[in-house]
Amino acid sequence: WFGPSDFKVPDCTIDFRVGGRYKICMLSPDGINYWVAGEYLVIEPPERLEFTWQRFQDDGLVWCSNIVRLRFEPSGINKTKFTLHQAMFETADECNNHRFGWTQCLERLQSFVNQVKNYL
């Protein structure tokens, strides 16, 4: 489910602990590898997760470097308010591209969760 629509994840390494690192390859439909990597800064289950975010291509050129903050708050019965904040971006286009990618990623996650619920 991770990544924009129609992307695949052929490679993923995660060391999920504060100070641990992750590295994920997202393969676009046209065959381009987009890599993201970073370090986990804060892990406070079930409320908070923060990590650095660096996006680069196979050639090693870094396109983006910032921090992602995720918040999870109870919201009624069996519901959670989810907030994603990523900053700072150098341009409005870069910000909009990330918003578009995260939106598609979260839509894919919702579809995955719905499929899993059907099996329970």
Side-chain angles (χ1 to χ4, degrees):
W1 58 265
F2 191 82
S5 297
D6 300 323
F7 277 61
K8 296 181 180 176
V9 176
D11 190 9
C12 177
T13 304
I14 296 175
D15 180 11
F16 192 66
R17 60 183 174 84
V18 173
R21 300 195 53 81
Y22 68 92
K23 185 175 180 182
I24 302 168
C25 177
M26 294 180 287
L27 177 63
S28 72
D30 55 357
I32 298 172
N33 287 324
Y34 294 93
W35 291 88
V36 294
E39 178 181 346
Y40 294 103
L41 304 174
V42 177
I43 301 173
E44 294 178 358
E47 296 94 13
R48 190 171 142 201
L49 176 62
E50 294 184 8
F51 51 92
T52 60
W53 177 276
Q54 290 186 316
R55 191 179 116 201
F56 52 96
Q57 280 186 267
D58 286 334
D59 60 10
L61 177 67
V62 174
W63 287 15
C64 175
S65 183
N66 51 35
I67 295 178
V68 177
R69 292 178 175 91
L70 308 178
R71 300 285 186 273
F72 305 87
E73 301 172 64
S75 178
I77 298 174
N78 295 323
K79 293 185 180 184
T80 301
K81 177 183 176 186
F82 171 71
T83 304
L84 184 153
H85 182 262
Q86 185 176 11
M88 295 289 300
F89 293 103
E90 291 188 19
T91 67
D93 282 345
E94 186 179 332
C95 180
N96 289 333
N97 287 339
H98 278 260
R99 180 179 292 118
F100 180 76
W102 279 115
T103 298
Q104 288 189 348
C105 180
L106 294 171
E107 287 170 350
R108 291 178 74 182
L109 175 58
Q110 180 64 52
S111 177
F112 175 77
V113 168
N114 288 340
Q115 290 174 13
V116 168
K117 286 186 344 189
N118 289 335
Y119 291 108
L120 298 178

